[in-house]
Amino acid sequence: MINPKVISRILANTDLKTKMRLAKVVPKLGKADEVTRCMLCPNMCLHVCPVFDAERRLTVSPSVKARLAYLGEVDDAIYHCLPCDACKNACPMDISVNDNLRAFRGGELALKAIEKFEKSIKVQTEEREGRILYFPGCRTFESDLFDTTVEVLEKLGVDFALTNVDCCGMPYYELGLIDKFKEKIAKLRQAASRYEGVISNCPHCVHVMRENGIKAAHILAVLKPVKIGGDVSYHDPCILARKLDVVKEPRKLLAEMGFEVHEPVFSGKDTHCCGYGGVYRYVAPDMAEKVAERRRKHFDYEIVTACPSCKMALKGKDIVELMADVL
């Protein structure tokens, strides 16, 4: 490990020209871990970070957060991050700051944030059997999408099951509460093993399930077009576009439904975060709302998306809701 005092001295005393030279060297560090490479970088992804854009303080900038983690500094800044991977999308080293910071979380702020999350979530379902398991995810209930989705799935003839598993464990994972996360995902994995696969409204749930050995797909995979028509602006949820690589599918579905899809200034894998992803709004609710407000200004038509968190943040509609209006 590089001596922390040496690192601090280098970073504090280098001018811009030296930092730019350093930026060319950092990707070639080879065996150096991602936190080390990230903290040495002169914040090359700063321009795409939604948290820095909202908070406007260098403490929450990507490379400074990595530096704090590396130096073992106990600072709330390591929780001020979204799982949007905008940093990774812009990074020449393909590094996700949020993915790296999870290992350094789990302190008092994590416990306070998870308490807020648990108080905000109410999950109630009546169990039913079917070929595939429909796992809504906590945010689907919070955004009032559950009943609408069940109605659409039934009208489309999807053979789906429901079970009383409340959470995939994502918030615990994001906050570094790993033991609790393992408990949640193990319960879901056991339930899912009885079915051919799992579908969910929540891109983050789908990603977590896939990363933990559960065959899962976003609900878009089972939706069929119904003719509606009109003009809409589509917002790409960060995790759906960047981690699940689902970009063309929602646009194709909307086009088949007769919609003229208008792209906001940032779309596809270059999308901007809505601010409600992960656990940021339980850590810094005012700042999460500020991110959402800035993103809402990018749209000229009714906002349509495919994520319950994005729907809430942007005051838009989910594709499922569009379908429910005519089915």
Side-chain angles (χ1 to χ4, degrees), residues 238-301:
C238 299
I239 290 177
L240 189 67
R242 293 187 179 125
K243 290 186 180 290
L244 302 181
D245 197 27
V246 177
V247 175
K248 295 179 181 178
E249 294 86 341
R251 290 168 170 80
K252 182 175 182 290
L253 179 61
L254 287 167
E256 290 174 346
M257 292 166 65
F259 287 106
E260 180 73 25
V261 181
H262 300 270
E263 301 289 350
V265 63
F266 299 101
S267 62
K269 293 193 176 184
D270 294 320
T271 187
H272 270 206
C273 187
C274 73
Y276 278 30
V279 293
Y280 186 47
R281 66 193 178 103
Y282 300 112
V283 174
D286 292 343
M287 292 297 105
E289 186 57 37
K290 192 172 181 180
V291 175
E293 287 174 3
R294 293 188 177 194
R295 180 55 172 161
R296 287 195 291 265
K297 293 176 182 177
H298 294 164
F299 300 90
D300 296 321
Y301 296 87

Short mmCIF file of all heavy atoms in Angstrom, two decimals, residues 238-301:
data_model
loop_
_atom_site.label_atom_id
_atom_site.label_comp_id
_atom_site.label_asym_id
_atom_site.label_seq_id
_atom_site.Cartn_x
_atom_site.Cartn_y
_atom_site.Cartn_z
N CYS A 238 -30.80 4.98 -14.43
CA CYS A 238 -29.36 4.74 -14.50
C CYS A 238 -29.01 3.26 -14.50
O CYS A 238 -28.23 2.80 -15.34
CB CYS A 238 -28.66 5.41 -13.31
SG CYS A 238 -28.86 7.19 -13.24
N ILE A 239 -29.56 2.52 -13.56
CA ILE A 239 -29.19 1.11 -13.43
C ILE A 239 -29.75 0.30 -14.58
O ILE A 239 -29.10 -0.63 -15.08
CB ILE A 239 -29.63 0.56 -12.07
CG1 ILE A 239 -28.75 1.20 -10.98
CG2 ILE A 239 -29.52 -0.96 -12.01
CD1 ILE A 239 -29.10 0.83 -9.58
N LEU A 240 -30.94 0.64 -15.05
CA LEU A 240 -31.53 -0.07 -16.19
C LEU A 240 -30.64 0.10 -17.42
O LEU A 240 -30.38 -0.87 -18.16
CB LEU A 240 -32.93 0.44 -16.47
CG LEU A 240 -33.76 -0.35 -17.49
CD1 LEU A 240 -34.09 -1.74 -16.95
CD2 LEU A 240 -35.03 0.39 -17.86
N ALA A 241 -30.17 1.32 -17.67
CA ALA A 241 -29.38 1.59 -18.86
C ALA A 241 -27.94 1.13 -18.72
O ALA A 241 -27.39 0.50 -19.63
CB ALA A 241 -29.42 3.08 -19.18
N ARG A 242 -27.31 1.42 -17.57
CA ARG A 242 -25.87 1.18 -17.45
C ARG A 242 -25.52 -0.21 -16.92
O ARG A 242 -24.57 -0.83 -17.40
CB ARG A 242 -25.26 2.25 -16.54
CG ARG A 242 -25.30 3.64 -17.16
CD ARG A 242 -24.54 4.65 -16.33
NE ARG A 242 -24.58 5.96 -16.95
CZ ARG A 242 -25.01 7.07 -16.35
NH1 ARG A 242 -25.42 7.03 -15.10
NH2 ARG A 242 -25.03 8.23 -17.00
N LYS A 243 -26.24 -0.69 -15.93
CA LYS A 243 -25.90 -1.99 -15.35
C LYS A 243 -26.64 -3.15 -16.03
O LYS A 243 -26.11 -4.26 -16.13
CB LYS A 243 -26.18 -2.00 -13.85
CG LYS A 243 -25.23 -1.13 -13.02
CD LYS A 243 -25.48 -1.29 -11.54
CE LYS A 243 -24.55 -0.43 -10.69
NZ LYS A 243 -23.15 -0.88 -10.72
N LEU A 244 -27.88 -2.91 -16.49
CA LEU A 244 -28.66 -3.97 -17.14
C LEU A 244 -28.63 -3.87 -18.66
O LEU A 244 -29.13 -4.77 -19.34
CB LEU A 244 -30.11 -3.95 -16.64
CG LEU A 244 -30.31 -4.10 -15.12
CD1 LEU A 244 -31.79 -4.09 -14.78
CD2 LEU A 244 -29.66 -5.39 -14.61
N ASP A 245 -28.08 -2.79 -19.18
CA ASP A 245 -27.94 -2.59 -20.64
C ASP A 245 -29.29 -2.64 -21.36
O ASP A 245 -29.41 -3.16 -22.47
CB ASP A 245 -26.99 -3.64 -21.23
CG ASP A 245 -26.50 -3.25 -22.61
OD1 ASP A 245 -26.44 -2.04 -22.91
OD2 ASP A 245 -26.20 -4.17 -23.41
N VAL A 246 -30.32 -2.10 -20.71
CA VAL A 246 -31.66 -2.04 -21.33
C VAL A 246 -31.91 -0.59 -21.75
O VAL A 246 -32.29 0.25 -20.94
CB VAL A 246 -32.76 -2.52 -20.35
CG1 VAL A 246 -34.14 -2.37 -20.98
CG2 VAL A 246 -32.51 -3.97 -19.96
N VAL A 247 -31.67 -0.32 -23.03
CA VAL A 247 -31.81 1.03 -23.57
C VAL A 247 -32.79 1.05 -24.75
O VAL A 247 -33.71 1.87 -24.80
CB VAL A 247 -30.44 1.59 -24.02
CG1 VAL A 247 -30.61 2.94 -24.70
CG2 VAL A 247 -29.50 1.72 -22.83
N LYS A 248 -32.62 0.13 -25.68
CA LYS A 248 -33.47 0.10 -26.88
C LYS A 248 -34.87 -0.41 -26.59
O LYS A 248 -35.85 0.04 -27.20
CB LYS A 248 -32.82 -0.78 -27.95
CG LYS A 248 -31.50 -0.24 -28.48
CD LYS A 248 -30.92 -1.18 -29.52
CE LYS A 248 -29.58 -0.67 -30.04
NZ LYS A 248 -28.98 -1.61 -31.03
N GLU A 249 -34.98 -1.36 -25.67
CA GLU A 249 -36.25 -2.05 -25.43
C GLU A 249 -37.41 -1.13 -25.03
O GLU A 249 -38.51 -1.24 -25.61
CB GLU A 249 -36.07 -3.16 -24.38
CG GLU A 249 -35.19 -4.29 -24.82
CD GLU A 249 -33.70 -4.07 -24.58
OE1 GLU A 249 -33.30 -2.88 -24.40
OE2 GLU A 249 -32.93 -5.05 -24.58
N PRO A 250 -37.24 -0.23 -24.06
CA PRO A 250 -38.37 0.65 -23.71
C PRO A 250 -38.77 1.58 -24.84
O PRO A 250 -39.95 1.86 -25.03
CB PRO A 250 -37.86 1.43 -22.49
CG PRO A 250 -36.38 1.30 -22.52
CD PRO A 250 -36.09 -0.02 -23.15
N ARG A 251 -37.81 2.04 -25.61
CA ARG A 251 -38.10 2.92 -26.75
C ARG A 251 -38.87 2.15 -27.84
O ARG A 251 -39.80 2.69 -28.44
CB ARG A 251 -36.81 3.50 -27.31
CG ARG A 251 -36.16 4.52 -26.38
CD ARG A 251 -34.74 4.87 -26.82
NE ARG A 251 -34.24 6.01 -26.05
CZ ARG A 251 -33.75 5.91 -24.82
NH1 ARG A 251 -33.68 4.73 -24.24
NH2 ARG A 251 -33.33 7.00 -24.17
N LYS A 252 -38.46 0.92 -28.07
CA LYS A 252 -39.15 0.08 -29.07
C LYS A 252 -40.59 -0.16 -28.64
O LYS A 252 -41.53 -0.06 -29.44
CB LYS A 252 -38.41 -1.24 -29.22
CG LYS A 252 -39.00 -2.20 -30.27
CD LYS A 252 -38.10 -3.43 -30.41
CE LYS A 252 -38.64 -4.37 -31.49
NZ LYS A 252 -39.89 -5.04 -31.07
N LEU A 253 -40.78 -0.46 -27.35
CA LEU A 253 -42.13 -0.72 -26.83
C LEU A 253 -43.00 0.53 -26.96
O LEU A 253 -44.15 0.46 -27.42
CB LEU A 253 -42.06 -1.17 -25.37
CG LEU A 253 -43.39 -1.44 -24.67
CD1 LEU A 253 -44.16 -2.56 -25.37
CD2 LEU A 253 -43.15 -1.79 -23.20
N LEU A 254 -42.47 1.67 -26.58
CA LEU A 254 -43.23 2.93 -26.67
C LEU A 254 -43.58 3.26 -28.12
O LEU A 254 -44.70 3.71 -28.42
CB LEU A 254 -42.44 4.07 -26.04
CG LEU A 254 -42.35 4.06 -24.50
CD1 LEU A 254 -41.29 5.04 -24.02
CD2 LEU A 254 -43.70 4.37 -23.87
N ALA A 255 -42.64 3.03 -29.03
CA ALA A 255 -42.91 3.28 -30.45
C ALA A 255 -44.01 2.36 -30.97
O ALA A 255 -44.89 2.79 -31.73
CB ALA A 255 -41.63 3.09 -31.26
N GLU A 256 -43.98 1.11 -30.55
CA GLU A 256 -45.02 0.15 -30.96
C GLU A 256 -46.38 0.50 -30.35
O GLU A 256 -47.42 0.10 -30.87
CB GLU A 256 -44.61 -1.26 -30.55
CG GLU A 256 -43.44 -1.81 -31.37
CD GLU A 256 -42.94 -3.15 -30.86
OE1 GLU A 256 -43.32 -3.53 -29.72
OE2 GLU A 256 -42.19 -3.81 -31.58
N MET A 257 -46.35 1.26 -29.26
CA MET A 257 -47.60 1.72 -28.64
C MET A 257 -48.11 3.00 -29.30
O MET A 257 -49.12 3.55 -28.90
CB MET A 257 -47.38 1.93 -27.14
CG MET A 257 -47.13 0.63 -26.37
SD MET A 257 -46.47 0.87 -24.69
CE MET A 257 -47.81 1.70 -23.87
N GLY A 258 -47.38 3.47 -30.30
CA GLY A 258 -47.81 4.64 -31.06
C GLY A 258 -47.29 5.97 -30.56
O GLY A 258 -47.70 7.03 -31.04
N PHE A 259 -46.34 5.93 -29.63
CA PHE A 259 -45.81 7.18 -29.07
C PHE A 259 -44.66 7.73 -29.91
O PHE A 259 -43.85 6.97 -30.45
CB PHE A 259 -45.30 6.97 -27.64
CG PHE A 259 -46.38 6.79 -26.62
CD1 PHE A 259 -46.66 5.55 -26.08
CD2 PHE A 259 -47.13 7.88 -26.20
CE1 PHE A 259 -47.66 5.38 -25.13
CE2 PHE A 259 -48.14 7.73 -25.25
CZ PHE A 259 -48.40 6.47 -24.72
N GLU A 260 -44.59 9.05 -30.00
CA GLU A 260 -43.42 9.73 -30.51
C GLU A 260 -42.52 9.98 -29.31
O GLU A 260 -42.88 10.72 -28.39
CB GLU A 260 -43.81 11.05 -31.16
CG GLU A 260 -42.66 11.85 -31.73
CD GLU A 260 -42.09 11.24 -33.01
OE1 GLU A 260 -42.84 10.51 -33.71
OE2 GLU A 260 -40.92 11.50 -33.29
N VAL A 261 -41.36 9.32 -29.30
CA VAL A 261 -40.48 9.40 -28.14
C VAL A 261 -39.46 10.52 -28.33
O VAL A 261 -38.66 10.50 -29.27
CB VAL A 261 -39.74 8.07 -27.91
CG1 VAL A 261 -38.83 8.17 -26.68
CG2 VAL A 261 -40.75 6.93 -27.73
N HIS A 262 -39.49 11.51 -27.44
CA HIS A 262 -38.57 12.65 -27.51
C HIS A 262 -37.47 12.46 -26.47
O HIS A 262 -37.74 12.21 -25.30
CB HIS A 262 -39.33 13.96 -27.24
CG HIS A 262 -40.42 14.21 -28.23
ND1 HIS A 262 -40.22 14.90 -29.41
CD2 HIS A 262 -41.74 13.84 -28.23
CE1 HIS A 262 -41.37 14.96 -30.09
NE2 HIS A 262 -42.29 14.32 -29.39
N GLU A 263 -36.23 12.59 -26.92
CA GLU A 263 -35.09 12.37 -26.05
C GLU A 263 -34.73 13.64 -25.28
O GLU A 263 -34.64 14.71 -25.87
CB GLU A 263 -33.87 11.92 -26.87
CG GLU A 263 -34.09 10.64 -27.66
CD GLU A 263 -34.16 9.40 -26.79
OE1 GLU A 263 -33.85 9.49 -25.58
OE2 GLU A 263 -34.52 8.33 -27.32
N PRO A 264 -34.50 13.52 -23.98
CA PRO A 264 -33.99 14.67 -23.22
C PRO A 264 -32.54 14.92 -23.58
O PRO A 264 -31.92 14.13 -24.31
CB PRO A 264 -34.13 14.21 -21.76
CG PRO A 264 -34.03 12.72 -21.84
CD PRO A 264 -34.69 12.34 -23.14
N VAL A 265 -31.96 15.96 -23.08
CA VAL A 265 -30.60 16.33 -23.44
C VAL A 265 -29.59 15.26 -23.05
O VAL A 265 -28.58 15.08 -23.72
CB VAL A 265 -30.23 17.70 -22.83
CG1 VAL A 265 -30.23 17.67 -21.32
CG2 VAL A 265 -28.88 18.18 -23.36
N PHE A 266 -29.85 14.51 -21.99
CA PHE A 266 -28.99 13.40 -21.60
C PHE A 266 -29.83 12.13 -21.59
O PHE A 266 -30.83 12.05 -20.88
CB PHE A 266 -28.40 13.63 -20.20
CG PHE A 266 -27.55 14.87 -20.12
CD1 PHE A 266 -28.04 16.04 -19.56
CD2 PHE A 266 -26.26 14.86 -20.63
CE1 PHE A 266 -27.26 17.18 -19.49
CE2 PHE A 266 -25.47 16.01 -20.57
CZ PHE A 266 -25.97 17.16 -19.99
N SER A 267 -29.44 11.14 -22.39
CA SER A 267 -30.25 9.92 -22.48
C SER A 267 -29.36 8.72 -22.76
O SER A 267 -28.15 8.84 -22.93
CB SER A 267 -31.31 10.07 -23.57
OG SER A 267 -30.70 10.26 -24.84
N GLY A 268 -30.00 7.54 -22.82
CA GLY A 268 -29.24 6.32 -23.01
C GLY A 268 -28.28 6.11 -21.86
O GLY A 268 -28.59 6.40 -20.71
N LYS A 269 -27.08 5.63 -22.16
CA LYS A 269 -26.09 5.40 -21.12
C LYS A 269 -25.46 6.70 -20.62
O LYS A 269 -24.71 6.69 -19.64
CB LYS A 269 -25.02 4.43 -21.61
CG LYS A 269 -25.59 3.04 -21.84
CD LYS A 269 -24.53 1.99 -22.04
CE LYS A 269 -25.19 0.62 -22.16
NZ LYS A 269 -24.21 -0.48 -22.26
N ASP A 270 -25.80 7.81 -21.26
CA ASP A 270 -25.35 9.12 -20.78
C ASP A 270 -26.46 9.83 -20.00
O ASP A 270 -26.43 11.05 -19.83
CB ASP A 270 -24.93 9.99 -21.96
CG ASP A 270 -23.70 9.45 -22.66
OD1 ASP A 270 -22.78 8.98 -21.96
OD2 ASP A 270 -23.65 9.48 -23.91
N THR A 271 -27.42 9.07 -19.52
CA THR A 271 -28.54 9.63 -18.77
C THR A 271 -28.06 10.36 -17.52
O THR A 271 -26.95 10.12 -17.03
CB THR A 271 -29.52 8.50 -18.37
OG1 THR A 271 -30.70 9.08 -17.78
CG2 THR A 271 -28.90 7.53 -17.39
N HIS A 272 -28.89 11.24 -17.00
CA HIS A 272 -28.63 11.89 -15.72
C HIS A 272 -29.50 11.25 -14.64
O HIS A 272 -30.66 10.94 -14.90
CB HIS A 272 -28.92 13.39 -15.80
CG HIS A 272 -27.74 14.20 -16.22
ND1 HIS A 272 -27.58 15.52 -15.89
CD2 HIS A 272 -26.63 13.87 -16.94
CE1 HIS A 272 -26.44 15.98 -16.39
NE2 HIS A 272 -25.86 15.00 -17.03
N CYS A 273 -28.95 11.11 -13.46
CA CYS A 273 -29.66 10.45 -12.36
C CYS A 273 -30.84 11.29 -11.87
O CYS A 273 -30.80 12.52 -11.88
CB CYS A 273 -28.69 10.21 -11.21
SG CYS A 273 -29.38 9.22 -9.87
N CYS A 274 -31.88 10.60 -11.41
CA CYS A 274 -33.06 11.28 -10.87
C CYS A 274 -32.87 11.71 -9.42
O CYS A 274 -33.67 12.48 -8.88
CB CYS A 274 -34.29 10.36 -10.97
SG CYS A 274 -34.27 8.99 -9.77
N GLY A 275 -31.83 11.17 -8.75
CA GLY A 275 -31.56 11.54 -7.36
C GLY A 275 -32.14 10.61 -6.31
O GLY A 275 -31.74 10.66 -5.14
N TYR A 276 -33.10 9.76 -6.71
CA TYR A 276 -33.76 8.89 -5.75
C TYR A 276 -33.18 7.47 -5.73
O TYR A 276 -33.69 6.60 -5.02
CB TYR A 276 -35.25 8.79 -6.06
CG TYR A 276 -36.09 9.94 -5.52
CD1 TYR A 276 -35.56 11.22 -5.37
CD2 TYR A 276 -37.42 9.76 -5.17
CE1 TYR A 276 -36.33 12.27 -4.91
CE2 TYR A 276 -38.20 10.80 -4.71
CZ TYR A 276 -37.66 12.05 -4.57
OH TYR A 276 -38.44 13.09 -4.11
N GLY A 277 -32.14 7.21 -6.49
CA GLY A 277 -31.55 5.88 -6.54
C GLY A 277 -30.83 5.52 -5.25
O GLY A 277 -30.39 6.39 -4.51
N GLY A 278 -30.70 4.23 -5.01
CA GLY A 278 -29.98 3.77 -3.82
C GLY A 278 -30.57 4.30 -2.54
O GLY A 278 -31.78 4.25 -2.33
N VAL A 279 -29.71 4.84 -1.66
CA VAL A 279 -30.17 5.31 -0.34
C VAL A 279 -29.85 6.79 -0.11
O VAL A 279 -29.98 7.28 1.01
CB VAL A 279 -29.52 4.46 0.78
CG1 VAL A 279 -30.02 3.02 0.74
CG2 VAL A 279 -27.99 4.49 0.68
N TYR A 280 -29.47 7.49 -1.16
CA TYR A 280 -29.07 8.90 -1.00
C TYR A 280 -30.17 9.74 -0.36
O TYR A 280 -29.89 10.62 0.47
CB TYR A 280 -28.69 9.47 -2.37
CG TYR A 280 -28.11 10.87 -2.36
CD1 TYR A 280 -27.12 11.24 -1.47
CD2 TYR A 280 -28.55 11.82 -3.28
CE1 TYR A 280 -26.57 12.52 -1.48
CE2 TYR A 280 -28.02 13.10 -3.30
CZ TYR A 280 -27.03 13.45 -2.39
OH TYR A 280 -26.50 14.71 -2.42
N ARG A 281 -31.42 9.48 -0.72
CA ARG A 281 -32.50 10.32 -0.17
C ARG A 281 -32.78 10.01 1.30
O ARG A 281 -33.49 10.77 1.97
CB ARG A 281 -33.77 10.22 -1.00
CG ARG A 281 -34.46 8.89 -1.01
CD ARG A 281 -35.51 8.86 -2.12
NE ARG A 281 -36.18 7.59 -2.21
CZ ARG A 281 -37.40 7.34 -1.76
NH1 ARG A 281 -38.09 8.30 -1.17
NH2 ARG A 281 -37.94 6.15 -1.88
N TYR A 282 -32.26 8.91 1.83
CA TYR A 282 -32.37 8.65 3.27
C TYR A 282 -31.18 9.26 4.02
O TYR A 282 -31.22 9.40 5.23
CB TYR A 282 -32.44 7.15 3.53
CG TYR A 282 -33.63 6.49 2.86
CD1 TYR A 282 -33.45 5.60 1.82
CD2 TYR A 282 -34.92 6.79 3.25
CE1 TYR A 282 -34.54 5.02 1.18
CE2 TYR A 282 -36.02 6.23 2.62
CZ TYR A 282 -35.82 5.34 1.58
OH TYR A 282 -36.90 4.77 0.94
N VAL A 283 -30.14 9.60 3.29
CA VAL A 283 -28.95 10.21 3.88
C VAL A 283 -29.00 11.73 3.77
O VAL A 283 -28.71 12.45 4.72
CB VAL A 283 -27.67 9.67 3.19
CG1 VAL A 283 -26.43 10.42 3.68
CG2 VAL A 283 -27.53 8.18 3.41
N ALA A 284 -29.38 12.21 2.57
CA ALA A 284 -29.42 13.65 2.30
C ALA A 284 -30.66 13.98 1.47
O ALA A 284 -30.56 14.26 0.27
CB ALA A 284 -28.15 14.08 1.58
N PRO A 285 -31.84 13.94 2.09
CA PRO A 285 -33.09 14.10 1.33
C PRO A 285 -33.21 15.41 0.57
O PRO A 285 -33.71 15.44 -0.56
CB PRO A 285 -34.18 13.99 2.41
CG PRO A 285 -33.48 14.21 3.73
CD PRO A 285 -32.09 13.71 3.52
N ASP A 286 -32.74 16.51 1.14
CA ASP A 286 -32.81 17.80 0.45
C ASP A 286 -31.96 17.80 -0.81
O ASP A 286 -32.36 18.35 -1.85
CB ASP A 286 -32.36 18.93 1.38
CG ASP A 286 -33.33 19.16 2.53
OD1 ASP A 286 -34.48 18.68 2.44
OD2 ASP A 286 -32.94 19.82 3.51
N MET A 287 -30.79 17.20 -0.73
CA MET A 287 -29.90 17.15 -1.89
C MET A 287 -30.44 16.19 -2.96
O MET A 287 -30.32 16.45 -4.16
CB MET A 287 -28.49 16.73 -1.47
CG MET A 287 -27.77 17.76 -0.62
SD MET A 287 -27.47 19.32 -1.52
CE MET A 287 -28.71 20.38 -0.77
N ALA A 288 -31.05 15.10 -2.53
CA ALA A 288 -31.65 14.16 -3.48
C ALA A 288 -32.75 14.85 -4.26
O ALA A 288 -32.89 14.67 -5.48
CB ALA A 288 -32.20 12.94 -2.74
N GLU A 289 -33.52 15.67 -3.57
CA GLU A 289 -34.59 16.41 -4.24
C GLU A 289 -34.02 17.46 -5.18
O GLU A 289 -34.59 17.73 -6.25
CB GLU A 289 -35.50 17.07 -3.20
CG GLU A 289 -36.73 17.75 -3.78
CD GLU A 289 -37.59 16.82 -4.60
OE1 GLU A 289 -37.72 15.63 -4.24
OE2 GLU A 289 -38.12 17.27 -5.65
N LYS A 290 -32.90 18.02 -4.82
CA LYS A 290 -32.25 19.01 -5.70
C LYS A 290 -31.79 18.35 -7.00
O LYS A 290 -31.93 18.93 -8.08
CB LYS A 290 -31.06 19.62 -4.97
CG LYS A 290 -30.48 20.86 -5.65
CD LYS A 290 -29.44 21.52 -4.76
CE LYS A 290 -28.87 22.77 -5.41
NZ LYS A 290 -27.86 23.42 -4.54
N VAL A 291 -31.25 17.13 -6.90
CA VAL A 291 -30.86 16.38 -8.10
C VAL A 291 -32.09 16.12 -8.97
O VAL A 291 -32.05 16.29 -10.20
CB VAL A 291 -30.19 15.04 -7.72
CG1 VAL A 291 -29.90 14.21 -8.98
CG2 VAL A 291 -28.90 15.27 -6.95
N ALA A 292 -33.20 15.75 -8.33
CA ALA A 292 -34.44 15.47 -9.06
C ALA A 292 -34.96 16.72 -9.78
O ALA A 292 -35.37 16.66 -10.94
CB ALA A 292 -35.50 14.92 -8.11
N GLU A 293 -34.94 17.85 -9.07
CA GLU A 293 -35.42 19.10 -9.66
C GLU A 293 -34.62 19.47 -10.91
O GLU A 293 -35.17 19.89 -11.92
CB GLU A 293 -35.32 20.24 -8.63
CG GLU A 293 -36.36 20.15 -7.52
CD GLU A 293 -36.14 21.20 -6.45
OE1 GLU A 293 -35.21 22.03 -6.62
OE2 GLU A 293 -36.87 21.20 -5.45
N ARG A 294 -33.32 19.29 -10.85
CA ARG A 294 -32.46 19.62 -11.99
C ARG A 294 -32.75 18.69 -13.17
O ARG A 294 -32.75 19.11 -14.32
CB ARG A 294 -30.99 19.54 -11.59
CG ARG A 294 -30.61 20.62 -10.58
CD ARG A 294 -29.12 20.67 -10.32
NE ARG A 294 -28.82 21.78 -9.41
CZ ARG A 294 -27.61 22.27 -9.19
NH1 ARG A 294 -26.59 21.78 -9.85
NH2 ARG A 294 -27.42 23.27 -8.36
N ARG A 295 -32.98 17.41 -12.87
CA ARG A 295 -33.27 16.47 -13.95
C ARG A 295 -34.62 16.76 -14.59
O ARG A 295 -34.77 16.66 -15.83
CB ARG A 295 -33.23 15.03 -13.42
CG ARG A 295 -33.53 13.95 -14.47
CD ARG A 295 -32.61 14.06 -15.66
NE ARG A 295 -32.77 12.92 -16.57
CZ ARG A 295 -32.38 12.92 -17.84
NH1 ARG A 295 -31.81 14.00 -18.35
NH2 ARG A 295 -32.54 11.86 -18.60
N ARG A 296 -35.60 17.16 -13.81
CA ARG A 296 -36.94 17.43 -14.37
C ARG A 296 -36.92 18.53 -15.42
O ARG A 296 -37.75 18.55 -16.33
CB ARG A 296 -37.92 17.80 -13.24
CG ARG A 296 -38.34 16.62 -12.38
CD ARG A 296 -39.57 16.93 -11.53
NE ARG A 296 -39.32 17.89 -10.48
CZ ARG A 296 -39.02 17.58 -9.22
NH1 ARG A 296 -38.90 16.31 -8.86
NH2 ARG A 296 -38.81 18.52 -8.32
N LYS A 297 -35.97 19.45 -15.32
CA LYS A 297 -35.89 20.56 -16.25
C LYS A 297 -35.40 20.14 -17.64
O LYS A 297 -35.43 20.93 -18.58
CB LYS A 297 -34.96 21.64 -15.69
CG LYS A 297 -35.52 22.33 -14.44
CD LYS A 297 -34.52 23.32 -13.87
CE LYS A 297 -35.06 23.97 -12.59
NZ LYS A 297 -34.06 24.90 -11.97
N HIS A 298 -34.95 18.91 -17.78
CA HIS A 298 -34.42 18.43 -19.06
C HIS A 298 -35.50 17.94 -20.03
O HIS A 298 -35.19 17.58 -21.16
CB HIS A 298 -33.43 17.27 -18.82
CG HIS A 298 -32.19 17.69 -18.09
ND1 HIS A 298 -31.33 16.78 -17.48
CD2 HIS A 298 -31.66 18.91 -17.85
CE1 HIS A 298 -30.33 17.43 -16.93
NE2 HIS A 298 -30.51 18.72 -17.13
N PHE A 299 -36.76 17.93 -19.60
CA PHE A 299 -37.81 17.31 -20.41
C PHE A 299 -38.80 18.34 -20.95
O PHE A 299 -39.18 19.27 -20.25
CB PHE A 299 -38.56 16.26 -19.58
CG PHE A 299 -37.67 15.15 -19.07
CD1 PHE A 299 -37.03 15.26 -17.85
CD2 PHE A 299 -37.46 14.02 -19.83
CE1 PHE A 299 -36.19 14.25 -17.38
CE2 PHE A 299 -36.64 13.00 -19.38
CZ PHE A 299 -36.00 13.12 -18.16
N ASP A 300 -39.25 18.10 -22.19
CA ASP A 300 -40.21 18.99 -22.83
C ASP A 300 -41.62 18.40 -22.89
O ASP A 300 -42.59 19.12 -23.12
CB ASP A 300 -39.76 19.32 -24.27
CG ASP A 300 -38.44 20.08 -24.29
OD1 ASP A 300 -38.25 20.95 -23.42
OD2 ASP A 300 -37.60 19.80 -25.17
N TYR A 301 -41.73 17.08 -22.71
CA TYR A 301 -43.03 16.40 -22.79
C TYR A 301 -43.25 15.60 -21.51
O TYR A 301 -42.39 15.57 -20.63
CB TYR A 301 -43.07 15.47 -24.01
CG TYR A 301 -42.96 16.20 -25.33
CD1 TYR A 301 -41.72 16.50 -25.89
CD2 TYR A 301 -44.10 16.63 -26.01
CE1 TYR A 301 -41.61 17.19 -27.08
CE2 TYR A 301 -44.01 17.32 -27.21
CZ TYR A 301 -42.75 17.60 -27.74
OH TYR A 301 -42.66 18.28 -28.93
#
